[in-house]
Amino acid sequence: SYVLSQSPSVSVAPGETARITCGAGNIRTKSVHWYQQKSGQAPVLVIYYDDHRASGIPERFSGSKSGNTATLTIDAVEAGDAADYYCQVWEDTSDHLWVFGGGTKLSVL
Amino acid sequence: EEQLVESGGDLVHPGGSLRLSCVVSGFTLSAYDLSWVRQAPGKGLEWVSTLNGRGDRTFYADPVKGRFTISRDTSKNTLYLQMNSLGAEDTALYYCAKNQGSGSYPFASWGQGTRVTVSS
């Protein structure tokens, strides 16, 4: 089955740039979506189709893809950005349909 | 405003059954794919099942295939997840989510979840 690999955790100081990666062998052929989940809350879509910001998401959030890796970048990180972030792809070559990465916990120091 | 409200979560014994409901408002059920996603305590998101907008195709993750059934009642604006032969590994918070469209569109709206605990 298709596997998306995310680092378990990323830590940055306020004002710095956070980069959260999502790796898979042929991710260049997939559309990647990113979700933010704050503690005790439902997930929220932040980036869709690799690099499109969802409604209401600050411009500090951006998405990109290169080689076997998709990246969620958060510029000028704020304390309120602390959350778990998940990548997701639609795996239409099988009946498994949707795959989530394991999630990355962003800590703001 | 779009809303999805899950219910039906409970404590159930291993081998038992449960039916989850997700009442939606602010959009037409038949215009979008709808999905169930679960999150075990302290773990990540896991896709469970999707029903396409036309209501004629269902998809399931391997761990639930043959045990869970997704369905809907458009007259009640409600999505369901019938869960049978439950095991401890099914303990999780279950979210329903609205796909932004069909196919590869992302999950644009989520409910707050309903908790299922499988324990003796």
Side-chain angles (χ1 to χ4, degrees), chain B residues 11-12 37 46 78 108 110:
Chain B
L11 170 64
V12 60
V37 176
E46 179 186 21
T78 303
W110 298 66

Side-chain angles (χ1 to χ4, degrees), chain A residues 2-82:
Chain A
Y2 197 76
V3 176
L4 296 171
S5 297
Q6 295 186 243
S7 297
S9 63
V10 168
S11 299
V12 298
E16 292 188 344
T17 295
R19 292 181 180 85
I20 297 169
T21 60
C22 174
N26 60 343
I27 202 169
R28 69 177 68 82
T29 68
K30 310 289 184 186
S31 294
V32 181
H33 310 310
W34 290 93
Y35 300 87
Q36 175 194 66
Q37 186 181 33
K38 296 184 178 180
S39 181
Q41 299 183 20
V44 171
L45 178 68
V46 292
I47 296 290
Y48 63 100
Y49 287 124
D50 300 338
D51 56 8
H52 293 74
R53 236 179 345 267
S55 176
I57 301 302
E59 290 184 10
R60 302 183 294 104
F61 288 77
S62 63
S64 62
K65 203 164 58 177
S66 177
N68 294 331
T69 303
T71 301
L72 171 68
T73 301
I74 310 172
D75 293 319
V77 166
E78 302 174 356
D81 298 331

Side-chain angles (χ1 to χ4, degrees), chain A residues 33 35 37 42 49 90 96 98, chain B residues 39 47 62 103-105 107 111:
Chain A
H33 310 310
Y35 300 87
Q37 186 181 33
Y49 287 124
W90 187 58
H96 299 96
W98 290 105
Chain B
Q39 188 168 34
W47 171 72
D62 283 345
S104 66
Y105 282 85
F107 296 177

